[in-house]
């Protein structure tokens, strides 16, 4: 009898390549039959020493370096770094620049969320929906390229403001792109809400209970899908978020589906925020040369990246290079929650569950 | 979502991919591509070299003058150099056609020389750099040309003399 149980229980490696996205993460899963018993997470495959590198670069160079830590949250990293440096130097960011910062952040949020829900459809095996979601996302990609000159790394921020201004042409382009995007995103939301293939594979899968979510300290859409109403944009409004219609959707399904739905309704909300920003965009300067004096000191800054709360700590001294630059990325606590989500899950659902936290390995391990 | 409708739409409106390389791919007007350098308008302040996070830009002093090199294969197209350049002497173009064969990898460089010449006032060697815009505000064309030819020391003297005039 005992022999029989031992024979049924296996340890299988999942990863490090191609678990959900093309990023390396490695799990050792003990399975019994098709059900997962325990999960061990192994990290460190893409550690590149970026934190050390950052202390060898000047702040102006770090504005670019940090943007390249992560692709989908690329905008939030230099944003948080600039906010930390501006706190130390007591640098005032012009109002127009604050609006432009919000615009850059929300455009990235739409594109990031659409990418994640698109990949979900791919993992479910619904390739037609996957391609359609990516096609919809392409509008956001084109928008980034047209306004910022690059599809991923916007280079929107500089110390004390933004680098890229929006003229009438860019504003008109953005408005028409949003008009194109909105009905499609709403349609996608409806599909994810009602489509049988999606519902069968995602509802009740990857459960992270409210209590476990609090214990793991998860952030972003993962937290909001487990009933935690927390969003830095409303909890500690930065830039001009206190003047904008930020809607923080909360669901208590605690499953993969709820996380996808949160992302889709946030994408719709981001489009609304963008429209309001374009309407309210004040005239004025957007930066003060981008090279303000930053005295020795230390500061912390928080932003809401598409994946959740991003925290930056910056310590400066008399050198142009920071003494210490450290960040806590949203995937770090969310990753930990995977042990709860994967418990008792089916082997076939591993990729779907992993994708549901929208993991960013490259910024977690930097 | 009605997928039959979507298929019909894609069949009539598609394909949505660009037929590159058989036709040119559309490129945004603001696209941040290959670096271009103009030694005519460069002040030689070397700010671009300092802010470049990739170390793609190098200035070297040679007999010819101040030589500028930007290695396209090291450049990450961030546009930091362009943003911090006071004169727009360095800027990004819409050109993204940087694919090349292995043999050419050391020639993927934007090169420029700020020539060295003799200062017409003191005869010492000087770089023929552009005149900083904030210093020559209100100058006439001829004055700018005169000022530009001078070495840094004589430029200072020129400014003082002009002020007292
Ligand atoms: S290109 Fe611009 S930033 Fe670089 S040295 Fe010349 S003037 Fe200065
Ligand atoms: S675009 Fe960026 S990486 Fe390229 S030369 Fe300019 S500063 Fe350096």
């Amino acid at each position: 009898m005992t022999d029989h149980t031992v024979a049924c229980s296996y340890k299988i490696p999942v990863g490090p390549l191609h678990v959900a996205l093309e990023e390396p993460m490695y799990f050792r899963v003990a399975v019994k039959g098709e059900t997962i018993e325990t999960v061990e997470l192994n990290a460190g495959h893409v550690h590149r020493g970026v934190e050390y590198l950052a202390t060898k670069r000047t702040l102006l160079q770090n504005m670019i370096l940090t943007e390249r830590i992560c692709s989908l949250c690329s905008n939030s990293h230099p944003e948080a770094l600039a906010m930390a440096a501006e706190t130390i130097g007591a640098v005032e960011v012009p109002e127009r620049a604050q609006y432009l910062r919000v615009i850059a952040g929300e455009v990235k949020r739409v594109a990031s969320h659409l990418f994640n829900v698109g990949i979900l459809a791919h993992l479910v095996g619904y390739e037609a929906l996957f391609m359609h979601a990516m096609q919809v996302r392409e509008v956001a990609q084109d928008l980034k390229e047209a306004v910022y000159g690059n599809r991923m790394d916007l280079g929107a921020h500089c110390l004390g403001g933004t680098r890229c201004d929006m003229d009438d042409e860019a504003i008109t382009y953005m408005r028409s792109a949003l008009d194109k995007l909105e009905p499609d995103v709403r349609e996608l939301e409806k599909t994810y809400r009602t489509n049988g293939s999606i519902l069968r594979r995602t509802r009740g899968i990857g459960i992270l209970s409210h209590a476990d979510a609090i214990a793991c300290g998860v952030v972003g859409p993962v937290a909001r899908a487990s009933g935690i109403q927390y969003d830095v944009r409303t909890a500690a409004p930065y830039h001009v978020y206190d003047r904008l219609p930020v809607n923080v959707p909360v669901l208590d399904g605690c499953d993969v589906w709820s996380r996808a739905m949160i992302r889709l309704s946030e994408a719709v909300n981001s489009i609304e925020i963008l429209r309001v920003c374009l309407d309210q965009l004040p005239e004025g300067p957007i930066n003060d040369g981008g090279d303000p004096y930053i005295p020795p000191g230390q500061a912390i800054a928080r932003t809401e990246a598409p994946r959740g709360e991003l925290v930056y700590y910056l310590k400066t001294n008399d050198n142009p290079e920071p003494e210490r630059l450290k960040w806590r990325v949203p995937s770090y606590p969310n990753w930990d929650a995977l042990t709860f989500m994967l418990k008792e899950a089916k082997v076939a659902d591993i990729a779907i569950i992993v994708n549901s936290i929208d993991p960013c390995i490259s910024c977690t391990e930097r | 979502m009605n997928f039959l409708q979507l298929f019909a739409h894609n069949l009539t409106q598609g394909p949505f991919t660009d037929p590159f390389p058989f036709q040119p791919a559309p490129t945004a007007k603001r696209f941040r591509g290959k670096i271009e350098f103009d030694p005519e308008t460069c002040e030689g302040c070397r700010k671009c070299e300092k802010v470049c996070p990739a170390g793609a830009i190098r200035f070297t002093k040679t007999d010819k003058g101040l030589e500028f090199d930007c290695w396209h294969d090291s450049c990450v197209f961030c546009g930091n150099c362009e943003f911090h350049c006071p004169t727009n002497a360095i800027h990004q173009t819409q050109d993204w056609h940087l694919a090349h064969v292995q043999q050419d990898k050391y020639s993927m460089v934007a090169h420029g020389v700020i020539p060295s010449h003799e200062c017409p006032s003191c005869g010492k060697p000087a770089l023929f750099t552009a005149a900083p815009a904030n210093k020559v505000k209100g100058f006439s064309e001829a004055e700018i040309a005169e000022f530009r030819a001078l070495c840094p020391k004589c430029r200072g003297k020129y400014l003082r003399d002009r002020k007292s005039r």
Side-chain angles (χ1 to χ4, degrees):
Chain A
M1 186 64 198
T2 7
D3 279 347
H4 179 68
T5 353
V6 171
C8 284
S9 198
Y10 293 100
K11 280 213 161 162
I12 53 168
V14 178
L17 291 178
H18 230 310
V19 179
L21 300 164
E22 286 75 2
E23 276 195 294
M25 56 200 309
Y26 176 54
F27 306 97
R28 213 157 51 187
V29 238
V31 291
K32 191 172 180 187
E34 254 201 74
T35 313
I36 299 170
E37 287 185 316
T38 55
V39 186
E40 279 170 51
L41 303 181
N42 276 291
H45 292 90
V46 278
H47 174 66
R48 290 150 292 161
V50 185
E51 278 184 13
Y52 175 80
L53 206 57
T55 60
K56 301 286 161 210
R57 298 274 186 284
T58 63
L59 277 178
L60 298 183
Q61 290 174 316
N62 278 326
M63 288 299 289
I64 307 299
L65 176 68
T66 49
E67 184 159 33
R68 278 148 182 82
I69 296 166
C70 174
S71 61
L72 290 160
C73 301
S74 61
N75 180 67
S76 305
H77 285 268
E79 183 179 24
L81 170 62
M83 281 162 66
E86 284 149 11
T87 312
I88 295 175
V91 180
E92 187 98 35
V93 179
E95 202 185 5
R96 184 178 174 87
Q98 298 195 23
Y99 273 94
L100 290 173
R101 282 186 173 183
V102 171
I103 292 175
E106 296 306 319
V107 171
K108 282 293 283 187
R109 197 183 312 279
V110 174
S112 174
H113 283 350
L114 286 177
F115 182 72
N116 180 262
V117 294
I119 297 291
L120 172 67
H122 164 63
L123 294 171
V124 162
Y126 199 163
E127 298 300 331
L129 180 57
F130 159 64
M131 286 182 201
H132 180 64
M134 295 306 266
Q135 173 65 28
V136 172
R137 176 177 183 259
E138 203 53 32
V139 179
Q141 297 297 88
D142 284 345
L143 169 61
K144 287 189 272 180
E145 188 173 334
V147 176
Y148 300 97
N150 193 294
R151 286 163 59 90
M152 292 312 281
D153 295 323
L154 305 187
H157 306 282
C158 65
L159 294 182
T162 51
R163 251 171 57 175
C164 171
D165 202 0
M166 289 187 71
D167 49 16
D168 287 338
E169 197 183 338
I171 292 176
T172 317
Y173 185 93
M174 188 174 277
R175 275 191 209 279
S176 71
L178 295 178
D179 289 344
K180 212 152 88 189
L181 208 52
E182 197 195 348
D184 284 347
V185 178
R186 282 191 192 279
E187 193 65 32
L188 273 179
E189 195 185 8
K190 208 170 104 199
T191 309
Y192 278 79
R193 192 183 297 287
T194 52
N195 184 281
S197 312
I198 296 284
L199 292 177
R200 273 193 296 278
R201 289 300 302 276
T202 58
R203 290 204 88 151
I205 305 290
I207 298 285
L208 179 73
S209 69
H210 186 74
D212 289 342
I214 290 177
C216 293
V218 294
V219 289
V222 180
R224 295 193 276 276
S226 288
I228 300 173
Q229 182 160 33
Y230 181 72
D231 187 318
V232 184
R233 292 176 298 168
T234 52
Y238 51 100
H239 304 335
V240 285
Y241 275 115
D242 48 353
R243 290 178 227 168
L244 298 170
V246 183
N247 172 24
V248 185
V250 180
L251 289 175
D252 44 20
C254 306
D255 54 3
V256 172
W257 181 76
S258 305
R259 285 168 216 138
M261 293 320 288
I262 295 273
R263 293 200 175 94
L264 282 164
S265 59
E266 278 183 25
V268 174
N269 181 228
S270 290
I271 294 174
E272 193 189 332
I273 295 176
L274 283 169
R275 287 217 178 96
V276 175
C277 279
L278 292 180
D279 290 341
Q280 294 182 356
L281 193 65
E283 292 297 325
I286 58 165
N287 63 47
D288 192 15
D291 190 7
Y293 170 65
I294 307 294
Q298 53 181 341
I300 276 186
R302 296 191 287 166
T303 61
E304 181 76 15
R307 289 166 178 70
E309 182 185 42
L310 172 71
V311 186
Y312 257 68
Y313 168 74
L314 171 67
K315 185 172 185 199
T316 50
N317 52 22
D318 290 318
N319 301 332
E321 298 87 14
E323 188 173 325
R324 183 82 171 97
L325 181 59
K326 175 154 180 66
W327 47 95
R328 207 284 317 260
V329 300
S331 291
Y332 181 65
N334 292 357
W335 191 340
D336 204 30
L338 277 179
T339 39
F340 291 92
M341 296 182 195
L342 287 171
K343 216 180 274 168
E344 305 287 304
K346 294 272 178 274
V347 172
D349 291 334
I350 294 179
I352 291 178
I353 295 173
V354 170
N355 179 66
S356 80
I357 69 159
D358 205 355
C360 180
I361 315 302
S362 64
C363 60
T364 314
E365 299 181 346
R366 56 261 190 181
Chain B
M1 183 174 301
N2 185 341
F3 268 85
L4 283 180
Q5 240 171 24
L6 188 64
F7 289 147
H9 174 261
N10 288 353
L11 212 55
T12 50
Q13 309 293 311
F16 293 107
T17 45
D18 295 322
F20 184 79
F22 306 107
Q23 275 169 36
T27 305
K29 225 182 5 188
R30 293 183 172 207
F31 185 82
R32 305 203 315 258
K34 189 172 166 181
I35 293 292
E36 218 173 56
F37 175 71
D38 175 22
E40 259 304 293
T41 49
C42 174
E43 290 176 6
C45 67
R46 298 176 78 156
K47 179 114 194 197
C48 50
E49 188 184 26
K50 265 196 224 112
V51 299
C52 175
I57 297 175
R58 280 282 171 277
F59 280 100
T60 7
K61 278 210 176 108
T62 63
D63 299 343
K64 280 192 241 161
L66 189 60
E67 298 205 34
F68 167 96
D69 287 295
C70 173
W71 289 75
H72 296 313
D73 286 353
S74 301
C75 172
V76 297
F77 309 107
C78 62
N80 227 20
C81 48
E82 171 172 346
F83 175 66
H84 287 284
C85 174
T87 63
N88 209 21
I90 186 164
H91 61 97
Q92 289 186 282
T93 58
Q94 277 168 276
D95 183 6
W96 46 270
H97 299 280
L98 284 160
H100 58 84
V101 291
Q102 177 74 355
Q103 288 103 288
D104 293 346
K105 70 176 172 185
Y106 295 122
S107 52
M108 299 299 289
V109 181
H111 183 77
V113 187
I114 302 168
S116 175
H117 72 146
E118 246 172 43
C119 170
S121 169
C122 67
K124 291 223 178 81
L127 285 173
F128 194 62
T129 51
N134 58 348
K135 297 227 169 103
V136 293
K137 225 178 257 162
F139 279 37
S140 70
E141 287 281 322
E143 276 178 319
I144 291 178
E146 210 179 322
F147 180 81
R148 178 175 183 156
L150 300 172
C151 73
K153 232 181 187 169
C154 297
R155 279 186 182 186
K157 190 163 167 285
Y158 185 93
L159 286 178
R160 284 192 299 275
D161 288 353
R162 188 175 184 274
K163 219 174 197 177
S164 56
R165 242 186 279 145

